[in-house]
Amino acid sequence: MMKNVYLLAIILLGFSACQNSQPAEEAEEEITEEAAMPQESEWIMLFDGSSADGWRSYNGEPGLPGNWVIEDGALKSLGTGGNTDIGGDIVYAPQEFDNFELSLEWKISEGGNSGIFYHVQEGEKYAAPYETAPEYQVLDDIGYPDPLEEWQKVGADYGMYVGDPEKKKVKAAGEWNTTRIIFTPEKVEYWLNGEMLITFVPWSDDWKERKAAGKWKDYPDYGEFKSGLIGLQDHGDLAWYRNIKVKEL
């Protein structure tokens, strides 16, 4: 009798082990897929629609300056902060980023002009972010009143690289756009409304030639820094930014 009970226990134990186990290949596949999926916790919210904590004037004191407000879940530039492109810009001050993916939404007023900066440097040496920081151009291509060079249009790496016109989905002023900037030393990508407009290699020979021949030839520190702050431009026009988040790479 005891022998039968012992035998039954072994059978039940083996059955339970089979129920709780899974093929090694299947388990490995699940782990691999889970690791490959982006986790929401990886994103750092720079602006969540309600609090402007961390944002301040470029080279300024803590706190959102008067030329920026929170309106309907967006950071809004009132276009009154400075003389065209100097004096009104803001930065996210708590953290610098080197390699990253930045994601945000924006809209611009009719004929408006603004920009998104990264690798921003501060100090008495610099009057504005663009002296050091690459800029993703934000512009109303459709309603802008003056003639434009391609490197001035929306989605351009301002003064350096132009967006692919066949992939650019230009929206009218007042409509929301989605932008992504992906930066690594091997490759930079600029995205607009789901399409990659630009890819280039920072600090490459091509990059250096463009800098030396163009708008930034008189700005020796432009684009030279490997990390820095993220900033938004007040260029004298109304502009809105929301859902601003970044992921370190």
Side-chain angles (χ1 to χ4, degrees):
M1 179 70 176
M2 288 298 295
K3 182 178 180 181
N4 290 342
V5 170
Y6 179 71
L7 211 48
L8 180 59
I10 292 175
I11 293 171
L12 290 174
L13 184 61
F15 178 76
S16 175
C18 289
Q19 288 290 95
N20 293 329
S21 66
Q22 65 185 114
E25 291 182 1
E26 182 179 339
E28 183 178 351
E29 181 179 351
E30 289 184 5
I31 292 171
T32 302
E33 289 181 358
E34 182 177 351
M37 293 177 62
Q39 302 298 313
E40 190 64 27
S41 60
E42 294 178 353
W43 290 101
I44 301 170
M45 292 300 301
L46 306 189
F47 177 67
D48 62 4
S50 59
S51 171
D53 287 351
W55 291 92
R56 60 164 170 77
S57 295
Y58 175 74
N59 272 338
E61 299 297 323
L64 199 65
N67 59 305
W68 288 82
V69 297
I70 298 175
E71 179 182 279
D72 297 330
L75 272 175
K76 179 182 179 181
S77 163
L78 300 178
T80 60
N83 178 16
T84 62
D85 58 354
I86 294 179
D89 305 336
I90 58 173
V91 294
Y92 182 77
Q95 184 175 351
E96 292 191 355
F97 297 94
D98 47 17
N99 305 329
F100 62 87
E101 177 178 352
L102 175 67
S103 174
L104 72 166
E105 296 174 86
W106 59 268
K107 64 180 180 178
I108 193 78
S109 57
E110 185 173 355
N113 186 344
S114 184
I116 304 161
F117 298 111
Y118 58 91
H119 292 175
V120 176
Q121 305 297 308
E122 294 184 298
E124 295 180 358
K125 185 178 179 180
Y126 308 118
Y130 65 74
E131 295 183 26
T132 60
E135 177 186 352
Y136 180 110
Q137 176 73 319
V138 170
L139 194 88
D140 175 22
D141 278 11
I142 298 172
Y144 200 75
D146 301 321
L148 293 168
E149 301 289 347
E150 290 300 316
W151 52 262
Q152 294 175 300
K153 293 183 178 181
V154 65
D157 182 41
Y158 187 78
M160 292 286 282
Y161 292 90
V162 304
D164 184 343
E166 295 184 0
K167 294 183 178 180
K168 187 190 295 187
K169 299 177 181 177
V170 178
K171 293 189 177 183
E175 295 184 20
W176 285 104
N177 299 269
T178 301
T179 280
R180 292 170 61 212
I181 302 172
I182 301 173
F183 185 95
T184 69
E186 295 75 31
K187 184 173 66 172
V188 180
E189 297 177 2
Y190 283 13
W191 292 70
L192 176 67
N193 297 325
E195 296 286 348
M196 187 173 68
L197 301 185
I198 295 173
T199 181
F200 62 91
V201 179
W203 313 302
S204 63
D205 289 342
D206 176 69
W207 184 93
K208 292 175 182 176
E209 289 172 4
R210 289 170 183 263
K211 177 181 174 179
K215 182 180 179 66
W216 307 117
K217 63 181 183 297
D218 297 324
Y219 295 87
D221 289 344
Y222 167 83
E224 297 294 335
F225 295 90
K226 304 299 190 290
S227 67
L229 304 175
I230 288 171
L232 303 174
Q233 186 180 53
D234 177 346
H235 199 285
D237 299 298
L238 300 179
W240 296 257
Y241 295 90
R242 70 184 184 187
N243 296 329
I244 307 171
K245 59 184 180 179
V246 64
K247 182 190 299 184
E248 295 180 282
L249 300 178

PDB file of all heavy atoms in Angstrom, residues 204-235:
ATOM      1  N   SER A 204      31.138  64.736 -38.958  1.00  0.00           N
ATOM      2  CA  SER A 204      31.774  64.079 -40.102  1.00  0.00           C
ATOM      3  C   SER A 204      32.433  65.142 -40.988  1.00  0.00           C
ATOM      4  O   SER A 204      32.258  66.353 -40.782  1.00  0.00           O
ATOM      5  CB  SER A 204      30.732  63.316 -40.913  1.00  0.00           C
ATOM      6  OG  SER A 204      29.765  64.211 -41.444  1.00  0.00           O
ATOM      7  N   ASP A 205      33.178  64.710 -41.997  1.00  0.00           N
ATOM      8  CA  ASP A 205      33.794  65.654 -42.929  1.00  0.00           C
ATOM      9  C   ASP A 205      32.723  66.492 -43.627  1.00  0.00           C
ATOM     10  O   ASP A 205      32.899  67.710 -43.819  1.00  0.00           O
ATOM     11  CB  ASP A 205      34.640  64.904 -43.961  1.00  0.00           C
ATOM     12  CG  ASP A 205      35.905  64.315 -43.360  1.00  0.00           C
ATOM     13  OD1 ASP A 205      36.293  64.754 -42.264  1.00  0.00           O
ATOM     14  OD2 ASP A 205      36.494  63.416 -43.987  1.00  0.00           O
ATOM     15  N   ASP A 206      31.626  65.838 -44.007  1.00  0.00           N
ATOM     16  CA  ASP A 206      30.531  66.560 -44.664  1.00  0.00           C
ATOM     17  C   ASP A 206      29.954  67.611 -43.739  1.00  0.00           C
ATOM     18  O   ASP A 206      29.693  68.757 -44.147  1.00  0.00           O
ATOM     19  CB  ASP A 206      29.446  65.570 -45.094  1.00  0.00           C
ATOM     20  CG  ASP A 206      28.237  66.259 -45.688  1.00  0.00           C
ATOM     21  OD1 ASP A 206      28.362  66.820 -46.800  1.00  0.00           O
ATOM     22  OD2 ASP A 206      27.162  66.257 -45.046  1.00  0.00           O
ATOM     23  N   TRP A 207      29.750  67.238 -42.475  1.00  0.00           N
ATOM     24  CA  TRP A 207      29.212  68.169 -41.472  1.00  0.00           C
ATOM     25  C   TRP A 207      30.147  69.364 -41.306  1.00  0.00           C
ATOM     26  O   TRP A 207      29.714  70.521 -41.276  1.00  0.00           O
ATOM     27  CB  TRP A 207      29.016  67.433 -40.155  1.00  0.00           C
ATOM     28  CG  TRP A 207      28.391  68.233 -39.058  1.00  0.00           C
ATOM     29  CD1 TRP A 207      27.060  68.304 -38.752  1.00  0.00           C
ATOM     30  CD2 TRP A 207      29.064  69.070 -38.103  1.00  0.00           C
ATOM     31  NE1 TRP A 207      26.865  69.134 -37.671  1.00  0.00           N
ATOM     32  CE2 TRP A 207      28.079  69.615 -37.260  1.00  0.00           C
ATOM     33  CE3 TRP A 207      30.399  69.408 -37.892  1.00  0.00           C
ATOM     34  CZ2 TRP A 207      28.387  70.480 -36.214  1.00  0.00           C
ATOM     35  CZ3 TRP A 207      30.720  70.273 -36.848  1.00  0.00           C
ATOM     36  CH2 TRP A 207      29.723  70.789 -36.023  1.00  0.00           C
ATOM     37  N   LYS A 208      31.446  69.106 -41.211  1.00  0.00           N
ATOM     38  CA  LYS A 208      32.421  70.179 -41.021  1.00  0.00           C
ATOM     39  C   LYS A 208      32.479  71.106 -42.231  1.00  0.00           C
ATOM     40  O   LYS A 208      32.614  72.331 -42.082  1.00  0.00           O
ATOM     41  CB  LYS A 208      33.792  69.577 -40.745  1.00  0.00           C
ATOM     42  CG  LYS A 208      33.888  68.854 -39.410  1.00  0.00           C
ATOM     43  CD  LYS A 208      35.231  68.170 -39.241  1.00  0.00           C
ATOM     44  CE  LYS A 208      35.297  67.401 -37.926  1.00  0.00           C
ATOM     45  NZ  LYS A 208      36.574  66.654 -37.786  1.00  0.00           N
ATOM     46  N   GLU A 209      32.357  70.552 -43.424  1.00  0.00           N
ATOM     47  CA  GLU A 209      32.369  71.369 -44.642  1.00  0.00           C
ATOM     48  C   GLU A 209      31.157  72.284 -44.697  1.00  0.00           C
ATOM     49  O   GLU A 209      31.260  73.460 -45.077  1.00  0.00           O
ATOM     50  CB  GLU A 209      32.404  70.457 -45.867  1.00  0.00           C
ATOM     51  CG  GLU A 209      33.733  69.748 -46.056  1.00  0.00           C
ATOM     52  CD  GLU A 209      33.680  68.715 -47.164  1.00  0.00           C
ATOM     53  OE1 GLU A 209      32.616  68.620 -47.840  1.00  0.00           O
ATOM     54  OE2 GLU A 209      34.687  67.997 -47.367  1.00  0.00           O
ATOM     55  N   ARG A 210      30.005  71.756 -44.331  1.00  0.00           N
ATOM     56  CA  ARG A 210      28.787  72.572 -44.332  1.00  0.00           C
ATOM     57  C   ARG A 210      28.885  73.701 -43.302  1.00  0.00           C
ATOM     58  O   ARG A 210      28.470  74.835 -43.568  1.00  0.00           O
ATOM     59  CB  ARG A 210      27.563  71.702 -44.040  1.00  0.00           C
ATOM     60  CG  ARG A 210      27.197  70.755 -45.183  1.00  0.00           C
ATOM     61  CD  ARG A 210      26.148  69.752 -44.749  1.00  0.00           C
ATOM     62  NE  ARG A 210      25.850  68.815 -45.800  1.00  0.00           N
ATOM     63  CZ  ARG A 210      24.822  68.903 -46.646  1.00  0.00           C
ATOM     64  NH1 ARG A 210      23.983  69.928 -46.544  1.00  0.00           N
ATOM     65  NH2 ARG A 210      24.621  67.986 -47.578  1.00  0.00           N
ATOM     66  N   LYS A 211      29.408  73.400 -42.138  1.00  0.00           N
ATOM     67  CA  LYS A 211      29.565  74.434 -41.117  1.00  0.00           C
ATOM     68  C   LYS A 211      30.522  75.527 -41.589  1.00  0.00           C
ATOM     69  O   LYS A 211      30.246  76.721 -41.433  1.00  0.00           O
ATOM     70  CB  LYS A 211      30.063  73.811 -39.810  1.00  0.00           C
ATOM     71  CG  LYS A 211      30.330  74.845 -38.725  1.00  0.00           C
ATOM     72  CD  LYS A 211      30.854  74.221 -37.450  1.00  0.00           C
ATOM     73  CE  LYS A 211      31.253  75.308 -36.453  1.00  0.00           C
ATOM     74  NZ  LYS A 211      31.757  74.766 -35.175  1.00  0.00           N
ATOM     75  N   ALA A 212      31.631  75.126 -42.172  1.00  0.00           N
ATOM     76  CA  ALA A 212      32.655  76.084 -42.592  1.00  0.00           C
ATOM     77  C   ALA A 212      32.196  76.965 -43.746  1.00  0.00           C
ATOM     78  O   ALA A 212      32.681  78.092 -43.900  1.00  0.00           O
ATOM     79  CB  ALA A 212      33.924  75.338 -42.988  1.00  0.00           C
ATOM     80  N   ALA A 213      31.247  76.470 -44.562  1.00  0.00           N
ATOM     81  CA  ALA A 213      30.836  77.203 -45.759  1.00  0.00           C
ATOM     82  C   ALA A 213      29.544  77.985 -45.585  1.00  0.00           C
ATOM     83  O   ALA A 213      29.177  78.782 -46.451  1.00  0.00           O
ATOM     84  CB  ALA A 213      30.673  76.232 -46.928  1.00  0.00           C
ATOM     85  N   GLY A 214      28.855  77.797 -44.481  1.00  0.00           N
ATOM     86  CA  GLY A 214      27.525  78.374 -44.344  1.00  0.00           C
ATOM     87  C   GLY A 214      27.373  79.374 -43.224  1.00  0.00           C
ATOM     88  O   GLY A 214      28.314  80.072 -42.824  1.00  0.00           O
ATOM     89  N   LYS A 215      26.170  79.425 -42.693  1.00  0.00           N
ATOM     90  CA  LYS A 215      25.770  80.416 -41.687  1.00  0.00           C
ATOM     91  C   LYS A 215      26.610  80.345 -40.419  1.00  0.00           C
ATOM     92  O   LYS A 215      26.813  81.353 -39.741  1.00  0.00           O
ATOM     93  CB  LYS A 215      24.290  80.199 -41.346  1.00  0.00           C
ATOM     94  CG  LYS A 215      23.718  81.193 -40.344  1.00  0.00           C
ATOM     95  CD  LYS A 215      22.258  80.896 -40.076  1.00  0.00           C
ATOM     96  CE  LYS A 215      21.678  81.873 -39.055  1.00  0.00           C
ATOM     97  NZ  LYS A 215      21.618  83.256 -39.545  1.00  0.00           N
ATOM     98  N   TRP A 216      27.131  79.149 -40.091  1.00  0.00           N
ATOM     99  CA  TRP A 216      27.781  78.960 -38.794  1.00  0.00           C
ATOM    100  C   TRP A 216      29.297  79.105 -38.841  1.00  0.00           C
ATOM    101  O   TRP A 216      29.971  78.809 -37.858  1.00  0.00           O
ATOM    102  CB  TRP A 216      27.400  77.585 -38.229  1.00  0.00           C
ATOM    103  CG  TRP A 216      25.927  77.393 -38.193  1.00  0.00           C
ATOM    104  CD1 TRP A 216      25.196  76.458 -38.867  1.00  0.00           C
ATOM    105  CD2 TRP A 216      24.975  78.180 -37.459  1.00  0.00           C
ATOM    106  NE1 TRP A 216      23.853  76.602 -38.609  1.00  0.00           N
ATOM    107  CE2 TRP A 216      23.688  77.657 -37.747  1.00  0.00           C
ATOM    108  CE3 TRP A 216      25.079  79.272 -36.600  1.00  0.00           C
ATOM    109  CZ2 TRP A 216      22.529  78.188 -37.209  1.00  0.00           C
ATOM    110  CZ3 TRP A 216      23.918  79.810 -36.055  1.00  0.00           C
ATOM    111  CH2 TRP A 216      22.668  79.260 -36.363  1.00  0.00           C
ATOM    112  N   LYS A 217      29.824  79.543 -39.949  1.00  0.00           N
ATOM    113  CA  LYS A 217      31.279  79.664 -40.066  1.00  0.00           C
ATOM    114  C   LYS A 217      31.867  80.667 -39.069  1.00  0.00           C
ATOM    115  O   LYS A 217      33.046  80.571 -38.693  1.00  0.00           O
ATOM    116  CB  LYS A 217      31.669  80.064 -41.494  1.00  0.00           C
ATOM    117  CG  LYS A 217      31.166  81.418 -41.958  1.00  0.00           C
ATOM    118  CD  LYS A 217      31.589  81.679 -43.397  1.00  0.00           C
ATOM    119  CE  LYS A 217      31.160  83.067 -43.869  1.00  0.00           C
ATOM    120  NZ  LYS A 217      29.683  83.208 -43.885  1.00  0.00           N
ATOM    121  N   ASP A 218      31.068  81.640 -38.619  1.00  0.00           N
ATOM    122  CA  ASP A 218      31.540  82.637 -37.662  1.00  0.00           C
ATOM    123  C   ASP A 218      31.186  82.290 -36.224  1.00  0.00           C
ATOM    124  O   ASP A 218      31.350  83.121 -35.317  1.00  0.00           O
ATOM    125  CB  ASP A 218      30.963  84.012 -38.014  1.00  0.00           C
ATOM    126  CG  ASP A 218      31.425  84.496 -39.378  1.00  0.00           C
ATOM    127  OD1 ASP A 218      32.591  84.223 -39.740  1.00  0.00           O
ATOM    128  OD2 ASP A 218      30.619  85.130 -40.085  1.00  0.00           O
ATOM    129  N   TYR A 219      30.677  81.061 -36.017  1.00  0.00           N
ATOM    130  CA  TYR A 219      30.313  80.596 -34.675  1.00  0.00           C
ATOM    131  C   TYR A 219      31.130  79.333 -34.380  1.00  0.00           C
ATOM    132  O   TYR A 219      30.665  78.216 -34.617  1.00  0.00           O
ATOM    133  CB  TYR A 219      28.818  80.315 -34.583  1.00  0.00           C
ATOM    134  CG  TYR A 219      27.961  81.542 -34.745  1.00  0.00           C
ATOM    135  CD1 TYR A 219      27.559  81.973 -36.005  1.00  0.00           C
ATOM    136  CD2 TYR A 219      27.566  82.284 -33.637  1.00  0.00           C
ATOM    137  CE1 TYR A 219      26.772  83.113 -36.166  1.00  0.00           C
ATOM    138  CE2 TYR A 219      26.778  83.427 -33.779  1.00  0.00           C
ATOM    139  CZ  TYR A 219      26.391  83.828 -35.047  1.00  0.00           C
ATOM    140  OH  TYR A 219      25.614  84.960 -35.196  1.00  0.00           O
ATOM    141  N   PRO A 220      32.336  79.484 -33.868  1.00  0.00           N
ATOM    142  CA  PRO A 220      33.244  78.340 -33.711  1.00  0.00           C
ATOM    143  C   PRO A 220      32.717  77.243 -32.804  1.00  0.00           C
ATOM    144  O   PRO A 220      33.090  76.072 -32.964  1.00  0.00           O
ATOM    145  CB  PRO A 220      34.520  78.962 -33.141  1.00  0.00           C
ATOM    146  CG  PRO A 220      34.084  80.258 -32.537  1.00  0.00           C
ATOM    147  CD  PRO A 220      32.953  80.739 -33.391  1.00  0.00           C
ATOM    148  N   ASP A 221      31.847  77.580 -31.847  1.00  0.00           N
ATOM    149  CA  ASP A 221      31.353  76.579 -30.903  1.00  0.00           C
ATOM    150  C   ASP A 221      30.051  75.917 -31.365  1.00  0.00           C
ATOM    151  O   ASP A 221      29.555  75.014 -30.689  1.00  0.00           O
ATOM    152  CB  ASP A 221      31.133  77.214 -29.524  1.00  0.00           C
ATOM    153  CG  ASP A 221      32.442  77.561 -28.848  1.00  0.00           C
ATOM    154  OD1 ASP A 221      33.487  77.059 -29.288  1.00  0.00           O
ATOM    155  OD2 ASP A 221      32.421  78.343 -27.873  1.00  0.00           O
ATOM    156  N   TYR A 222      29.521  76.359 -32.498  1.00  0.00           N
ATOM    157  CA  TYR A 222      28.268  75.776 -32.968  1.00  0.00           C
ATOM    158  C   TYR A 222      28.430  74.267 -33.183  1.00  0.00           C
ATOM    159  O   TYR A 222      29.329  73.812 -33.902  1.00  0.00           O
ATOM    160  CB  TYR A 222      27.820  76.409 -34.286  1.00  0.00           C
ATOM    161  CG  TYR A 222      26.704  75.605 -34.927  1.00  0.00           C
ATOM    162  CD1 TYR A 222      25.389  75.780 -34.539  1.00  0.00           C
ATOM    163  CD2 TYR A 222      26.987  74.639 -35.892  1.00  0.00           C
ATOM    164  CE1 TYR A 222      24.376  75.021 -35.100  1.00  0.00           C
ATOM    165  CE2 TYR A 222      25.986  73.877 -36.459  1.00  0.00           C
ATOM    166  CZ  TYR A 222      24.675  74.068 -36.058  1.00  0.00           C
ATOM    167  OH  TYR A 222      23.682  73.297 -36.605  1.00  0.00           O
ATOM    168  N   GLY A 223      27.548  73.488 -32.551  1.00  0.00           N
ATOM    169  CA  GLY A 223      27.470  72.056 -32.787  1.00  0.00           C
ATOM    170  C   GLY A 223      28.639  71.241 -32.286  1.00  0.00           C
ATOM    171  O   GLY A 223      28.712  70.038 -32.562  1.00  0.00           O
ATOM    172  N   GLU A 224      29.551  71.845 -31.552  1.00  0.00           N
ATOM    173  CA  GLU A 224      30.760  71.137 -31.152  1.00  0.00           C
ATOM    174  C   GLU A 224      30.597  70.339 -29.858  1.00  0.00           C
ATOM    175  O   GLU A 224      31.432  69.488 -29.545  1.00  0.00           O
ATOM    176  CB  GLU A 224      31.909  72.134 -30.982  1.00  0.00           C
ATOM    177  CG  GLU A 224      32.305  72.872 -32.247  1.00  0.00           C
ATOM    178  CD  GLU A 224      32.905  71.943 -33.300  1.00  0.00           C
ATOM    179  OE1 GLU A 224      33.444  70.872 -32.920  1.00  0.00           O
ATOM    180  OE2 GLU A 224      32.831  72.287 -34.500  1.00  0.00           O
ATOM    181  N   PHE A 225      29.545  70.593 -29.111  1.00  0.00           N
ATOM    182  CA  PHE A 225      29.397  69.962 -27.806  1.00  0.00           C
ATOM    183  C   PHE A 225      28.666  68.624 -27.914  1.00  0.00           C
ATOM    184  O   PHE A 225      27.728  68.468 -28.682  1.00  0.00           O
ATOM    185  CB  PHE A 225      28.657  70.899 -26.842  1.00  0.00           C
ATOM    186  CG  PHE A 225      29.436  72.147 -26.539  1.00  0.00           C
ATOM    187  CD1 PHE A 225      29.285  73.287 -27.319  1.00  0.00           C
ATOM    188  CD2 PHE A 225      30.347  72.163 -25.497  1.00  0.00           C
ATOM    189  CE1 PHE A 225      30.024  74.436 -27.050  1.00  0.00           C
ATOM    190  CE2 PHE A 225      31.088  73.312 -25.223  1.00  0.00           C
ATOM    191  CZ  PHE A 225      30.925  74.447 -25.997  1.00  0.00           C
ATOM    192  N   LYS A 226      29.107  67.667 -27.093  1.00  0.00           N
ATOM    193  CA  LYS A 226      28.554  66.312 -27.144  1.00  0.00           C
ATOM    194  C   LYS A 226      27.327  66.142 -26.270  1.00  0.00           C
ATOM    195  O   LYS A 226      26.631  65.132 -26.345  1.00  0.00           O
ATOM    196  CB  LYS A 226      29.627  65.301 -26.724  1.00  0.00           C
ATOM    197  CG  LYS A 226      30.913  65.371 -27.546  1.00  0.00           C
ATOM    198  CD  LYS A 226      30.673  65.080 -29.016  1.00  0.00           C
ATOM    199  CE  LYS A 226      31.968  64.906 -29.801  1.00  0.00           C
ATOM    200  NZ  LYS A 226      32.732  66.145 -29.978  1.00  0.00           N
ATOM    201  N   SER A 227      27.051  67.115 -25.409  1.00  0.00           N
ATOM    202  CA  SER A 227      25.858  67.068 -24.566  1.00  0.00           C
ATOM    203  C   SER A 227      25.439  68.492 -24.225  1.00  0.00           C
ATOM    204  O   SER A 227      26.197  69.439 -24.437  1.00  0.00           O
ATOM    205  CB  SER A 227      26.108  66.265 -23.285  1.00  0.00           C
ATOM    206  OG  SER A 227      27.025  66.929 -22.447  1.00  0.00           O
ATOM    207  N   GLY A 228      24.239  68.648 -23.705  1.00  0.00           N
ATOM    208  CA  GLY A 228      23.750  69.973 -23.340  1.00  0.00           C
ATOM    209  C   GLY A 228      22.269  69.950 -23.035  1.00  0.00           C
ATOM    210  O   GLY A 228      21.646  68.886 -22.948  1.00  0.00           O
ATOM    211  N   LEU A 229      21.700  71.144 -22.885  1.00  0.00           N
ATOM    212  CA  LEU A 229      20.292  71.289 -22.538  1.00  0.00           C
ATOM    213  C   LEU A 229      19.412  71.258 -23.787  1.00  0.00           C
ATOM    214  O   LEU A 229      19.873  71.441 -24.909  1.00  0.00           O
ATOM    215  CB  LEU A 229      20.074  72.615 -21.800  1.00  0.00           C
ATOM    216  CG  LEU A 229      20.908  72.834 -20.537  1.00  0.00           C
ATOM    217  CD1 LEU A 229      20.673  74.234 -19.988  1.00  0.00           C
ATOM    218  CD2 LEU A 229      20.599  71.779 -19.484  1.00  0.00           C
ATOM    219  N   ILE A 230      18.136  71.032 -23.563  1.00  0.00           N
ATOM    220  CA  ILE A 230      17.129  71.118 -24.618  1.00  0.00           C
ATOM    221  C   ILE A 230      16.405  72.446 -24.464  1.00  0.00           C
ATOM    222  O   ILE A 230      16.091  72.876 -23.341  1.00  0.00           O
ATOM    223  CB  ILE A 230      16.154  69.935 -24.530  1.00  0.00           C
ATOM    224  CG1 ILE A 230      16.870  68.648 -24.982  1.00  0.00           C
ATOM    225  CG2 ILE A 230      14.900  70.173 -25.375  1.00  0.00           C
ATOM    226  CD1 ILE A 230      16.098  67.388 -24.737  1.00  0.00           C
ATOM    227  N   GLY A 231      16.159  73.144 -25.578  1.00  0.00           N
ATOM    228  CA  GLY A 231      15.546  74.465 -25.516  1.00  0.00           C
ATOM    229  C   GLY A 231      14.500  74.689 -26.586  1.00  0.00           C
ATOM    230  O   GLY A 231      14.436  73.971 -27.592  1.00  0.00           O
ATOM    231  N   LEU A 232      13.681  75.719 -26.359  1.00  0.00           N
ATOM    232  CA  LEU A 232      12.640  76.137 -27.294  1.00  0.00           C
ATOM    233  C   LEU A 232      12.806  77.621 -27.584  1.00  0.00           C
ATOM    234  O   LEU A 232      13.155  78.404 -26.700  1.00  0.00           O
ATOM    235  CB  LEU A 232      11.246  75.870 -26.711  1.00  0.00           C
ATOM    236  CG  LEU A 232      10.941  74.422 -26.316  1.00  0.00           C
ATOM    237  CD1 LEU A 232       9.587  74.346 -25.609  1.00  0.00           C
ATOM    238  CD2 LEU A 232      10.952  73.508 -27.538  1.00  0.00           C
ATOM    239  N   GLN A 233      12.515  77.998 -28.811  1.00  0.00           N
ATOM    240  CA  GLN A 233      12.799  79.363 -29.260  1.00  0.00           C
ATOM    241  C   GLN A 233      11.547  80.247 -29.294  1.00  0.00           C
ATOM    242  O   GLN A 233      10.499  79.841 -29.796  1.00  0.00           O
ATOM    243  CB  GLN A 233      13.424  79.324 -30.660  1.00  0.00           C
ATOM    244  CG  GLN A 233      13.893  80.681 -31.161  1.00  0.00           C
ATOM    245  CD  GLN A 233      14.506  80.582 -32.539  1.00  0.00           C
ATOM    246  OE1 GLN A 233      13.897  80.051 -33.457  1.00  0.00           O
ATOM    247  NE2 GLN A 233      15.713  81.103 -32.697  1.00  0.00           N
ATOM    248  N   ASP A 234      11.700  81.463 -28.764  1.00  0.00           N
ATOM    249  CA  ASP A 234      10.741  82.542 -28.971  1.00  0.00           C
ATOM    250  C   ASP A 234      11.359  83.461 -30.014  1.00  0.00           C
ATOM    251  O   ASP A 234      12.291  84.210 -29.726  1.00  0.00           O
ATOM    252  CB  ASP A 234      10.495  83.297 -27.666  1.00  0.00           C
ATOM    253  CG  ASP A 234       9.546  84.482 -27.835  1.00  0.00           C
ATOM    254  OD1 ASP A 234       9.288  84.882 -28.988  1.00  0.00           O
ATOM    255  OD2 ASP A 234       9.065  85.016 -26.819  1.00  0.00           O
ATOM    256  N   HIS A 235      10.848  83.378 -31.235  1.00  0.00           N
ATOM    257  CA  HIS A 235      11.414  84.152 -32.347  1.00  0.00           C
ATOM    258  C   HIS A 235      10.511  85.333 -32.708  1.00  0.00           C
ATOM    259  O   HIS A 235      10.559  85.869 -33.804  1.00  0.00           O
ATOM    260  CB  HIS A 235      11.610  83.249 -33.561  1.00  0.00           C
ATOM    261  CG  HIS A 235      12.566  83.776 -34.586  1.00  0.00           C
ATOM    262  ND1 HIS A 235      12.251  84.804 -35.450  1.00  0.00           N
ATOM    263  CD2 HIS A 235      13.836  83.428 -34.895  1.00  0.00           C
ATOM    264  CE1 HIS A 235      13.267  85.053 -36.252  1.00  0.00           C
ATOM    265  NE2 HIS A 235      14.254  84.240 -35.935  1.00  0.00           N
TER     266      HIS A 235
END
